[in-house]
Amino acid sequence: MNKRILRGGTLVMPQGCKKGDVLIENGKIAAIGDAVAADGAEVIDVSGLHVFPGLIDMHVHLREPGFEYKEDIASGSAAAVRGGFTQICCMPNTDPVCDNAAVVGYIVSRAKEVGLCKVRPIGAITAGEEGQQLAEIGKMQKAGAVAISDDGKPVMNSRVMRLAMEYASDFNMLCLSHCEDKNLVDGGVVNEGYNSTLAGLKGISRAAEEIMVARDIILAETLGTRIHICHVSTKGAVQLIREAKARGVRVTAETCPHYFTLTDDAVVSFDANTKVNPPLREAEDVAAIKQGLKDGTLDCIVTDHAPHHADEKNVEYNLAAFGISGIETSFALSYTNLVKSGILTLSRLAEKMSGAPARILGLSGGELKEGGVADITVADLSKEYTIDSKDFLSKGKNTPFTGTKVFGKIQYTIVDGQVKFSDVIK
Ligand code: DOR
Ligand code: ZN
Ligand code: ZN
């Protein structure tokens, strides 16, 4: 049946929450309102639950092709819909690197075969993510790439970055910048500060991130192009972006749940699941990230879902891979730490996790509206549970959040009107 009705939920709309029904017909939202006639539709009772626009994660790593032992498009998509995501954008640091139309096309067609969430590939900025030669941006766009990024690596050469931003703007493609000055990082593994000294681990200065944020803002300002800053982790980066926005620079930015929930106190445990790039910072950074989300400096919440094999984490801290498997914990961590604590309203959480990513990348969805695509996420906000990586559908069990109590469980993930995930124990 191609007709269903979500009955009696609380709808999370841009202006606020309201009670109502959502009628879904042929993959579209046919009607929103009170007591919408069922008219032969399958009825899904969502009373007591909250109905969000389908969550969109514009920064994930799916690892296919090449690193399927960490994750593949099937396992990553299953984890995504369990996390409430109807649409995800995957970074190009695969093997081969997604720097050409053939790899983009492969990801698009494999994701369709899997048929869970929508998967939008991000093409590389440079061939092989080597930072030298621009990739074939136009051809990748034609094949389905929605943005470009050398994520995992910075584009160190400012001239190359300038060319990329100019060239991308001709295609109306956005550059997503992984801001890291490699020379300053110099083999560091955690934030540089008290805890790096205590643990005897080499530190990464905040300046390594902030210098590149400043550079990219200056380039965007000079060229009049857009730029998007990935995974903001420092107070200084938030301030640079805030000031740039105030001047009218066309900059947007994202952060991740681990940057507003954890400090580098976590790394003195030597648990390699706390190793992530950029690294966990300090309390004043966490406060600045929350403030940046609140005042609109930080547009969206992404996961930077970076699954790794246990063997790549079960080694000494210095040798472990950077990254957190985050797609199944993002919604609950965000709801618990931002909404329950009064920093964001539910509408603004929906904006950070759906509306803004859709607008920034020009994707479908992002809002519950009549005539819009029926990409919908239904959550039970009253349900408290304890995160356990053993429950993850992702192959990557690398999370520092096992044992953390959170509120907000995804109940249904609906993509183009079809239920792709449900977790209903009534
Ligand atoms: O922690 C990270 N993991 N940061 C990155 O920039 C890359 C990512 C990965 O691909 O594992
Ligand atoms: Zn990155
Ligand atoms: Zn990333």
Side-chain angles (χ1 to χ4, degrees), residues 3-120:
K3 214 167 155 185
R4 38 184 67 85
I5 186 160
L6 302 177
R7 180 75 87 198
T10 302
L11 314 182
V12 182
M13 312 292 276
Q15 317 76 18
C17 291
K18 64 169 194 187
K19 289 251 186 271
D21 303 333
V22 180
L23 179 67
I24 299 166
E25 218 171 336
N26 298 323
K28 295 268 188 302
I29 296 178
I32 294 177
D34 292 325
V36 173
D39 212 8
E42 174 197 353
V43 177
I44 301 177
D45 176 13
V46 294
S47 52
L49 306 179
H50 281 74
V51 181
F52 290 81
L55 305 182
I56 301 173
D57 189 347
M58 63 179 280
H59 187 152
V60 307
H61 297 266
L62 290 181
R63 308 304 193 198
E64 185 178 352
F67 301 109
E68 291 84 353
Y69 69 94
K70 295 175 192 262
E71 189 82 292
D72 57 31
I73 292 169
S75 63
S77 299
V81 292
R82 179 162 186 258
F85 293 97
T86 53
Q87 192 161 204
I88 58 179
C89 304
C90 57
M91 286 296 181
N93 58 343
T94 48
D95 184 18
V97 168
C98 183
D99 63 3
N100 63 78
V103 180
V104 172
Y106 169 75
I107 294 168
V108 169
S109 69
R110 178 66 191 131
K112 280 204 182 118
E113 243 168 51
V114 167
L116 290 171
C117 60
K118 295 168 184 171
V119 176
R120 311 295 187 199

Side-chain angles (χ1 to χ4, degrees), residues 57 77 175 209 223 254 257 330-331 349 374 384:
D57 189 347
S77 299
C175 284
E209 177 170 337
L223 302 168
E254 59 181 46
S330 180
F331 176 78
L349 181 69
E384 189 179 22

Side-chain angles (χ1 to χ4, degrees), residues 65-225:
F67 301 109
E68 291 84 353
Y69 69 94
K70 295 175 192 262
E71 189 82 292
D72 57 31
I73 292 169
S75 63
S77 299
V81 292
R82 179 162 186 258
F85 293 97
T86 53
Q87 192 161 204
I88 58 179
C89 304
C90 57
M91 286 296 181
N93 58 343
T94 48
D95 184 18
V97 168
C98 183
D99 63 3
N100 63 78
V103 180
V104 172
Y106 169 75
I107 294 168
V108 169
S109 69
R110 178 66 191 131
K112 280 204 182 118
E113 243 168 51
V114 167
L116 290 171
C117 60
K118 295 168 184 171
V119 176
R120 311 295 187 199
I122 295 163
I125 295 175
T126 64
E129 287 202 340
E130 279 165 6
Q132 308 290 325
Q133 221 56 44
L134 289 189
E136 294 175 331
I137 297 169
K139 285 186 182 160
M140 292 193 293
Q141 185 180 38
K142 277 211 185 82
V146 295
I148 53 171
S149 180
D150 270 3
D151 187 54
K153 291 184 183 172
V155 177
M156 281 301 297
N157 183 321
S158 302
R159 182 179 159 274
V160 172
M161 191 63 176
R162 176 207 165 132
L163 288 174
M165 286 165 64
E166 278 181 324
Y167 200 58
S169 81
D170 288 343
F171 292 96
N172 196 25
M173 284 277 259
L174 183 60
C175 284
L176 318 180
S177 183
H178 168 113
C179 291
E180 174 184 23
D181 183 319
K182 272 284 175 205
N183 300 310
L184 268 180
V185 169
D186 192 26
V189 292
V190 294
N191 179 60
E192 183 178 275
Y194 175 78
N195 283 319
S196 63
T197 309
L198 192 68
L201 293 169
K202 189 168 164 58
I204 302 173
S205 158
R206 291 178 181 81
E209 177 170 337
E210 291 160 6
I211 284 170
M212 295 300 257
V213 171
R215 180 199 72 174
D216 288 348
I217 285 171
I218 291 166
L219 285 175
E221 190 163 20
T222 305
L223 302 168
T225 61

Side-chain angles (χ1 to χ4, degrees), residues 218-358:
I218 291 166
L219 285 175
E221 190 163 20
T222 305
L223 302 168
T225 61
R226 295 197 297 153
I227 185 71
H228 178 84
I229 308 295
C230 291
H231 42 52
V232 172
S233 77
T234 77
K235 181 182 173 182
V238 174
Q239 187 56 19
L240 284 164
I241 296 160
R242 182 180 290 124
E243 288 165 6
K245 282 189 167 184
R247 291 198 301 280
V249 181
R250 300 167 72 200
V251 57
T252 52
E254 59 181 46
T255 190
C256 318
H258 39 276
Y259 300 121
F260 58 75
T261 56
L262 296 175
T263 67
D264 66 350
D265 287 350
V267 311
V268 295
S269 65
F270 293 99
D271 176 0
N273 290 320
T274 63
K275 184 173 174 182
V276 62
N277 187 21
L280 302 176
R281 307 286 186 181
E282 297 180 48
E284 61 175 333
D285 300 288
V286 170
I289 298 286
K290 287 181 175 170
Q291 182 56 33
L293 284 165
K294 190 179 165 97
D295 68 23
T297 302
L298 300 175
D299 302 87
C300 38
I301 298 169
V302 303
T303 63
D304 198 3
H305 177 66
H308 290 292
H309 192 275
D311 291 351
E312 295 164 308
K313 285 290 194 180
N314 256 333
V315 291
E316 69 177 83
Y317 206 95
N318 281 312
L319 300 177
F322 286 98
I324 291 174
S325 177
I327 208 158
E328 289 168 81
T329 56
S330 180
F331 176 78
L333 288 169
S334 300
Y335 171 67
T336 306
N337 289 283
L338 300 174
V339 179
K340 275 189 91 69
S341 64
I343 292 164
L344 297 180
T345 62
L346 279 175
S347 297
R348 298 207 60 225
L349 181 69
E351 160 68 12
K352 306 280 182 202
M353 297 189 75
S354 180

